[in-house]
Amino acid sequence: MKIKNWIYLFYTTLLLGGMVGVFTGVIIEREQYINFLREGLALDILFSVFWLFGISLIFSLISQMGFFAYLTVHRFGLGMFGALWNPVQWLLIAVVYFDLIWLRYINFAEGEGILPYILTASFLLVVGLVVAYVKSKATNKGAFVPTLFFIVVVTTLEWFPVLRINDAKYLWLMLLPLLACNIWQVLILHRLTGTTK
């Protein structure tokens, strides 16, 4: 990848993460922003949006580190496992999906059912499947499993700091910018490197 393409990827991913984070935060805290508007507290709105943008930039940087780490791990995986690398990735996807449900449920559920944990993990899996399908159509069938692995497993690893807290507000505030950045990076990479179908 050329330096100008890497710079483009860096700044567009950064900006995308910041914007998605602001949008997510405003939606999550919409009542607070409505109150700010009613009371004419424009400065509070500005500071709050600035804070959301700043923290989302951090999430974007985490996403970018995860992306380049995965590109390295993927090459090592191909070298070490060869043709078995795809089955290994499928196994890891299944383990992470199961753990995202079960471990969170046994650690955090307080009289609630397992359904919310299934829905959260399934949301990530479905997004991963859709993105992997789009990527494989744009490049080749061999891109499906690596893309799914990246979206499910790597996003979960990047998301881990808030998974430990289990605060619904922060779960979504971090997940959506991470997902947006990861999806953008994986779908734009083949265009930047000239490896389109």
Side-chain angles (χ1 to χ4, degrees):
M1 182 187 297
K2 296 176 182 174
I3 291 289
K4 70 174 185 177
N5 290 342
W6 179 82
I7 292 170
Y8 172 79
L9 181 63
F10 176 79
Y11 283 111
T12 54
T13 306
L14 201 63
L15 187 59
L16 178 67
M19 290 188 312
V20 171
V22 168
F23 180 77
T24 304
V26 169
I27 294 297
I28 290 172
E29 293 289 342
R30 60 190 170 276
E31 290 178 15
Q32 177 184 353
Y33 286 98
I34 290 169
N35 290 336
F36 284 161
L37 285 172
R38 283 181 187 152
E39 297 169 17
L41 301 172
L43 201 56
D44 287 357
I45 293 173
L46 185 64
F47 283 136
S48 181
V49 166
F50 183 74
W51 180 85
L52 285 170
F53 188 74
I55 197 144
S56 299
L57 293 181
I58 295 169
F59 300 154
S60 174
L61 291 173
I62 291 169
S63 166
Q64 293 186 54
M65 287 188 291
F67 182 62
F68 285 102
Y70 175 68
L71 292 177
T72 305
V73 167
H74 182 63
R75 285 289 149 207
F76 279 121
L78 287 171
M80 287 176 60
F81 297 104
L84 292 175
W85 179 229
N86 274 355
V88 168
Q89 288 182 101
W90 275 115
L91 177 65
L92 292 172
I93 290 165
V95 167
V96 167
Y97 177 74
F98 176 78
D99 287 348
L100 202 50
I101 296 168
W102 184 247
L103 290 181
R104 289 185 63 231
Y105 175 70
I106 62 172
N107 284 309
F108 300 117
E110 296 175 1
E112 59 187 330
I114 198 170
L115 185 61
Y117 300 95
I118 293 173
L119 291 176
T120 303
S122 297
F123 169 75
L124 185 58
L125 181 64
V126 168
V127 169
L129 289 168
V130 170
V131 173
Y133 174 78
V134 171
K135 179 73 172 183
S136 65
K137 282 293 189 185
T139 56
N140 59 64
K141 291 180 183 177
F144 186 88
V145 177
T147 302
L148 181 61
F149 181 90
F150 175 67
I151 295 297
V152 174
V153 177
V154 176
T155 301
T156 302
L157 290 173
E158 295 166 349
W159 196 25
F160 187 72
V162 240
L163 286 173
R164 293 179 61 199
I165 300 168
N166 200 44
D167 181 311
K169 171 185 165 183
Y170 286 103
L171 282 173
W172 292 105
L173 184 60
M174 186 174 192
L175 176 63
L176 295 181
L178 281 177
L179 263 181
C181 292
N182 285 344
I183 291 167
W184 168 250
Q185 290 175 104
V186 82
L187 291 182
I188 197 73
L189 181 67
H190 61 275
R191 293 180 183 161
L192 295 177
T193 56
T195 53
T196 53
K197 207 170 198 177

